[in-house]
Amino acid sequence: MFNEQLKLHIIVFVWGFTAILGVLIELDSFQLVFYRTLIAAVSMWIFMKFKGWELKVNWKDATKLLLTGGLVASHWILFFASAKISKVSVCLAGIATTALFTSLLEPLLTKSSIKPYEVVLGLFVIVGLYIIFQFEFDHALGLTLSLCAAFVGSLFSVLNGNYVKTISSPKITLYEMIGGCITAFICLPFLSESETLLAIPSTLDIVYLFVLAVICTTIAYAVCVEIQKSLSAFQVNLTVNLEPIYGIILALIFFGEEETMTPGFYVGAGIILLSVLSYPFLKQNYNRRSSNRKKLHEEVIQN
């Protein structure tokens, strides 16, 4: 069990590198996402063939997954654009709101009820964002882009939560990477800032891209799926929520003074991160109480 928890922390730590790699890679966000999804799709295909897993899905599921892959691409494009035009810390502070958006979107898309604790945490997140905007208005555009990325990320997460009930996770990843690659390629002529349609990455960028696509995407995903067989959803979600914290610390280590922010930023980011980390605990407690109330109600009816 300890080894599985250690592996999960390593994976989340690796994911904390994604924004840093996005800044280090000289390609614009559209080209970066194109190459990332292309390499990730190919490496996932190779991985699935090696494992002997089924690759095919019916046309209806394939269409849904490819379109959702467009959302994944949009999420990453906004994410990397935010990191490039502002700072990694600002980008990750915005991305940390994904859990908030998920708590709002899930009831709308799955017709479930909004939980009281989600509303309270949402208010705390809004307070944290307000403080950041007050002290870091120069980075308002970067924070806005990361908030948009968080919203899109929460949308495809909710959709994937429904897909995984009938489609295997590897197939979801493979087809969404293909859909993301197609979406990024279609956007290149219209939105890319590069003078050429598809710039050839430098040798160093190729190394970074393979780290991003193979290690941070395909391998990390495969290991995470394996870990989920041993760890509870609560343990996984709690650890994954540490990603923005790891990322902000890594940004300070890699970029030093360039990533140093005002005290107000860290107060606002701290409120957001504390809300995100509190979410799994509050959810577990709420579910336990709801279960107890349901059992009590059933006992009353029986008696």
Side-chain angles (χ1 to χ4, degrees), residues 286-300:
Y286 178 85
N287 290 339
R288 184 168 58 247
R289 289 187 176 183
S290 298
S291 178
N292 290 338
R293 284 197 298 267
K294 184 178 180 180
K295 289 180 180 178
L296 181 62
H297 179 69
E298 290 175 351
E299 289 176 358
V300 170

Side-chain angles (χ1 to χ4, degrees), residues 155-216:
L155 179 57
F156 74 71
S157 294
V158 173
L159 292 174
N160 282 344
N162 291 325
Y163 298 158
V164 78
K165 296 175 182 177
T166 55
I167 309 171
S168 69
S169 296
K171 289 181 182 179
I172 291 174
T173 302
L174 174 62
Y175 281 85
E176 287 186 354
M177 290 301 100
I178 295 173
C181 183
I182 294 171
T183 300
F185 184 76
I186 291 173
C187 291
L188 283 173
F190 309 101
L191 300 173
S192 176
E193 297 176 356
S194 176
E195 295 179 358
T196 57
L197 177 63
L198 195 59
I200 303 300
S202 65
T203 303
L204 189 57
D205 277 354
I206 291 175
V207 173
Y208 289 148
L209 281 167
F210 268 88
V211 171
L212 181 63
V214 178
I215 297 178
C216 296

Side-chain angles (χ1 to χ4, degrees), residues 103-104 107-108 112-116 118-119 286:
S103 69
L104 297 175
L108 293 175
S112 57
S113 59
I114 296 178
K115 304 344 184 256
E118 292 178 344
V119 176
Y286 178 85

Side-chain angles (χ1 to χ4, degrees), residues 93 124-125 127-133 135-136 248 261-275:
F124 274 104
V125 169
V127 170
L129 290 172
Y130 175 78
I131 293 173
I132 292 176
F133 272 113
F135 286 89
E136 297 293 342
I248 290 174
M261 311 294 288
T262 62
F265 168 82
Y266 293 109
V267 171
I271 292 173
I272 294 172
L273 294 173
L274 183 61
S275 301

